[in-house]
Each structure stands twice: as C-alpha cells, then as structure tokens.
Amino acid sequence: MRFFQQYKTLPGIFQRQLLGHIIACVCLTILTGVFVWLRFEFAMFFPGLICIAFLLLHGIWLFRLATTQRYIVVEGTCASIYRTPIRKRVKYLQLDVQGMCVQIASKRSYSSYYPQQPLRLYLALQTPVREKDGIQIIQDYLGIEALPRSSHH
C-alpha cells in the first residue's frame, strides 16, 4: 500500500499526530530555507535541522508503530479527574477499565474530559505499567480520545 492509503486506515489519533508532524516539518523546512536564502550563519539554522530530523524520525517511528499495529487499545470510563490544588491543572485521570482502576498522567494542563465519559487509550506494547495500592499506574501513552457514549461496551 502507498503512504496515503495506509494513512487513511489508521485510527484518528494517529492521523492527527502524523499530520502535526508533517505540518511542523514543512514549516521548519521553509524557515530553514529562508535562513539559508538570507545567508545566515550555520548556527542560525542548525537547531531547525535538528528539529526537522527529530520530527521525521519520530513520525516514521509512529507511522510504523501504527501501521504494524504494535500498540494496545484500552477502553474505559473516566472515573475521576484529579487537579492540582492551587492552579487547578489536571494532574491525572483515573479510568475504570472492566472493574479495574487505571491511573494515567495528564499530558495537558487542561482536560476536555469529564467523569463517566467513555475514553480510549492507546499504549505502545512496551509501555511500563506499575501497581500501587491496587491501582494500575501508566505514566506514558501514545494518545487518548473521547468516545461517543454508544460505542463504549
């Protein structure tokens, strides 16, 4: 299959992440090209080259991971949202996954999720999971998305 055919078959969360990588790469390439065209010193556009290389490598890794389906999908219901005391930023979410409590660290300071909302969590196969007081704790994940109420089992 060609890239775009494979891209269309990926879950939406991976499509959005890959699209973000592509847009960032194009913007950085244009900016680096402007620096080269204006004859800036190498030190001015070297950070852009490093970022482009990182985005390309990470995008390739993410695409291969998604197309070869080397990830785990966990569906559950948001049981609670824990926030920091003063600034009220989201610290972590707790999901109820088939009667088991799973706690995930929030990657954002805000959350559009609410209690009792069905969520889908994407994990790499090698994602470490540790247990503390009967709660499964996950520090890193590939993505999380809200599900419509009807698709949750």
Side-chain angles (χ1 to χ4, degrees):
M1 280 184 163
R2 302 182 63 72
F3 172 78
F4 291 110
Q5 291 170 333
Q6 288 179 321
Y7 176 81
K8 289 178 187 177
T9 63
L10 298 177
I13 193 91
F14 292 119
Q15 288 181 359
R16 287 187 295 278
Q17 287 181 7
L18 287 169
L19 184 61
H21 278 67
I22 292 168
I23 290 171
C25 269
V26 168
C27 291
L28 279 170
T29 302
I30 291 170
L31 186 62
T32 302
V34 168
F35 282 168
V36 169
W37 183 66
L38 294 175
R39 300 184 194 270
F40 280 99
E41 292 183 24
F42 183 69
M44 292 295 290
F45 62 89
F46 184 68
L49 293 176
I50 291 174
C51 289
I52 290 169
F54 171 78
L55 286 168
L56 283 173
L57 292 174
H58 189 262
I60 290 168
W61 173 81
L62 188 64
F63 182 74
R64 288 182 50 91
L65 181 129
T67 55
T68 58
Q69 298 182 345
R70 292 183 314 204
Y71 60 90
I72 301 168
V73 178
V74 177
E75 291 187 10
T77 305
C78 180
S80 55
I81 301 171
Y82 290 89
R83 300 180 183 275
T84 57
I86 296 174
R87 297 186 70 186
K88 302 297 182 194
R89 293 183 176 189
V90 175
K91 189 173 182 180
Y92 57 86
L93 304 170
Q94 282 191 341
L95 304 178
D96 177 24
V97 179
Q98 297 176 350
M100 184 173 39
C101 186
V102 176
Q103 178 177 306
I104 58 171
S106 178
K107 290 186 176 183
R108 299 188 227 159
S109 61
Y110 65 93
S111 174
S112 58
Y113 310 122
Y114 54 87
Q116 303 307 314
Q117 182 179 25
L119 298 174
R120 181 178 293 147
L121 185 66
Y122 293 88
L123 305 167
L125 291 177
Q126 65 272 19
T127 301
V129 179
R130 62 183 179 90
E131 184 178 350
K132 182 178 179 185
D133 301 327
I135 298 174
Q136 306 299 317
I137 300 173
I138 299 171
Q139 292 295 326
D140 194 28
Y141 51 92
L142 297 171
I144 187 169
E145 65 183 350
L147 299 174
R149 287 219 182 256
S150 62
S151 72
H152 184 66
H153 309 300

